[in-house]
Amino acid sequence: MTSIMPTYNRIPVTFARGSGARLYDDAGKEYIDALCGLAVTGLGHAHPHVTEAIAAQARTLTHTSNLYGIAGQEKLAARLTALSGMDNVFFGNSGAEANEAAIKIARLYGHDRGIDIPHTVVMDNSFHGRTMATLTATGNRKVHAGFEPLLGGFVRAPFNDIDAVRRIGENDENVVAVMVEPILGEGGIHIPEDDYLTRLRALCDDNGWLLMLDEVQTGNGRSGKFFCYQHSGILPDVVTTAKGLGNGVPIGACLARGTASGMLVAGNHGSTFGGNPLVCAAANAVLDELEGGLMERAGELGERMLSGLRQGLQGSNIVKDIRGKGLLLAVELDRPCAQMVTDAMEAGVILNVAADTVIRLLPPLILSDEDADQVVATVVRLVKAMA
């Protein structure tokens, strides 16, 4: 019997400590963490620089309020805007909060243009969060079920289909923004065509829409660049991130540029805990490490693992696809494979199954070549056993 609401089907293991890419359960068993708490602990566990930054800040000041200046927040904002090409940033506590801020920016933008009911185009099989606005934006009926009536103001299009978005705009004069993940994360690591974001950017420019990118999972170096959109050479109007930014400390960020950067003003949005001294100390320490070469390492390591998976599973009759970008990797099977999570844990590897049939790997950027090869070998062996 537990006093915790049953919002998760928890796996029967409790982790007691972590070190680098390793987790240890309360019985002392060791695992390679190839999931990072769903793309959160990109620097691994108990990272010395992040740990010291948190401890040093906790000894000094953990929280005041956004009513006052916060030196670490100013530093973090300057670094993030420089890394992203954005103009300013709003700090919240999670990816969902960052995406809520983006949705509110789109609605303010629409109202400023005289549109009473602004519409944002969102994608099928997307995931943007669990709040009422972000779950409505999410393109997954399972997430919606039981929470009706959902919010209005969202129009759905297939992912990786520019023509569908164009047709929506031709028939809906209330569209003001497009909100999309550069890679569908919870949807199963689906990677669009190389020119998808470039063409979306052009379409938004032609129609005066905001291009808003959800990089909660793909940001912070995981794709091989700080933000995934940087592979395309474009700039969004709004970009959100969270997860890996704090390496486990709750922080979310909504960055904006141009007209979008002036939408949120005093009194129309806020956050009690967002961007407090403690979380900003952690995030600044994370950026120190990412800017030291780890982003490039993520790209190289991802290629190594992707090549190993393709070579090891070549010819498998149950593998539909093997795909990845940086350290966002997936093996899609032709059948449900939830049991793979338990089987991998027994073999000492933590991974995840998304969309019922997709083995998802989100390993830390600090993973060694040897650990990467072991993760690949484990996945290959378990898939072959399932076949």
Side-chain angles (χ1 to χ4, degrees):
M1 187 68 178
T2 177
S3 299
I4 298 171
M5 287 187 183
T7 55
Y8 283 85
N9 292 318
R10 294 180 187 262
I11 297 165
V13 64
T14 298
F15 298 113
R17 66 184 182 92
S19 178
R22 293 290 200 280
L23 280 169
Y24 301 86
D25 67 22
D26 53 7
K29 183 176 177 178
E30 179 183 286
Y31 307 80
I32 299 175
D33 185 1
L35 185 60
C36 287
L38 296 171
V40 171
T41 51
L43 302 185
H45 302 283
H47 189 282
H49 183 48
V50 178
T51 299
E52 178 51 36
I54 293 170
Q57 188 62 52
R59 286 191 292 266
T60 305
L61 184 68
T62 58
H63 180 80
T64 53
S65 166
N66 282 297
L67 294 172
Y68 315 105
I70 300 171
Q73 185 185 106
E74 292 287 347
K75 177 181 178 181
L76 180 60
R79 297 177 76 178
L80 286 174
T81 53
L83 282 164
S84 64
M86 299 290 107
D87 293 336
N88 58 17
V89 56
F90 169 82
F91 290 111
N93 306 290
S94 66
E97 286 190 28
N99 285 335
E100 283 275 341
I103 292 165
K104 292 177 81 171
I105 286 171
R107 297 201 171 188
L108 288 167
Y109 175 75
H111 289 141
D112 274 5
R113 299 176 68 195
I115 298 173
D116 291 335
I117 306 176
H119 289 172
T120 297
V121 179
V122 293
M123 306 303 157
D124 293 336
N125 299 314
S126 62
F127 184 85
H128 298 293
R130 300 278 187 177
T131 63
M132 282 305 298
T134 58
L135 76 83
T136 304
T138 292
N140 183 336
R141 177 58 194 153
K142 290 181 181 179
V143 175
H144 301 160
F147 295 109
E148 300 84 354
L150 302 178
L151 299 185
F154 296 98
V155 187
R156 305 192 188 281
F159 183 65
N160 196 27
D161 188 336
I162 293 292
D163 290 337
V165 179
R166 181 180 293 109
R167 286 193 296 271
I168 288 170
E170 290 170 350
N171 293 286
D172 186 347
E173 62 185 13
N174 291 330
V175 171
V176 298
V178 175
M179 186 175 193
V180 61
E181 299 163 85
I183 294 172
L184 294 185
E186 299 302 308
I189 314 296
H190 289 284
I191 302 166
E193 295 174 4
D194 289 344
D195 64 349
Y196 180 58
L197 291 186
T198 306
R199 295 177 68 193
L200 267 184
R201 175 71 276 176
L203 186 60
C204 287
D205 288 342
D206 289 345
N207 288 278
W209 303 337
L210 300 179
L211 177 59
M212 309 197 303
L213 300 184
D214 175 346
E215 296 230 24
V216 169
Q217 187 166 138
T218 56
N220 306 295
R222 180 155 291 278
S223 75
K225 291 186 181 291
F226 189 78
F227 281 118
C228 193
Y229 68 79
Q230 292 168 330
H231 293 280
S232 301
I234 59 123
L235 280 176
D237 299 292
V238 179
V239 60
T240 61
T241 195
K243 289 190 181 286
L245 182 57
N247 207 58
V249 174
I251 182 171
C254 176
L255 297 104
R257 72 178 181 96
T259 302
S261 69
M263 291 292 105
L264 295 180
V265 297
N268 68 9
H269 199 46
S271 172
T272 296
F273 298 107
N276 76 19
L278 187 68
V279 300
C280 287
N284 274 308
V286 169
L287 294 192
D288 291 341
E289 299 300 314
L290 292 180
E291 292 183 291
L294 276 182
M295 291 184 279
E296 294 78 9
R297 167 69 177 162
E300 295 164 1
L301 192 60
E303 285 297 321
R304 181 188 185 96
M305 295 182 74
L306 194 60
S307 176
L309 289 167
R310 286 172 172 164
Q311 183 176 349
L313 292 171
Q314 186 175 12
S316 174
N317 63 342
I318 70 168
V319 174
K320 291 181 65 177
D321 192 20
I322 300 170
R323 53 185 177 263
K325 194 174 191 69
L327 291 176
L328 297 120
L329 301 159
V331 177
E332 183 174 0
L333 305 184
D334 66 357
R335 63 198 66 186
C337 56
Q339 181 62 33
M340 190 69 66
V341 173
T342 303
D343 293 344
M345 289 193 74
E346 290 177 358
V349 172
I350 308 296
L351 50 74
N352 174 245
V353 169
D356 297 328
T357 61
V358 180
I359 301 166
R360 180 169 56 159
L361 300 172
L362 301 165
L365 281 62
I366 51 89
L367 195 69
S368 69
D369 287 351
E370 293 75 20
D371 283 349
D373 293 345
Q374 186 173 338
V375 170
V376 167
T378 300
V379 172
V380 168
R381 176 172 60 80
L382 293 176
V383 170
K384 287 183 174 179
M386 181 176 284

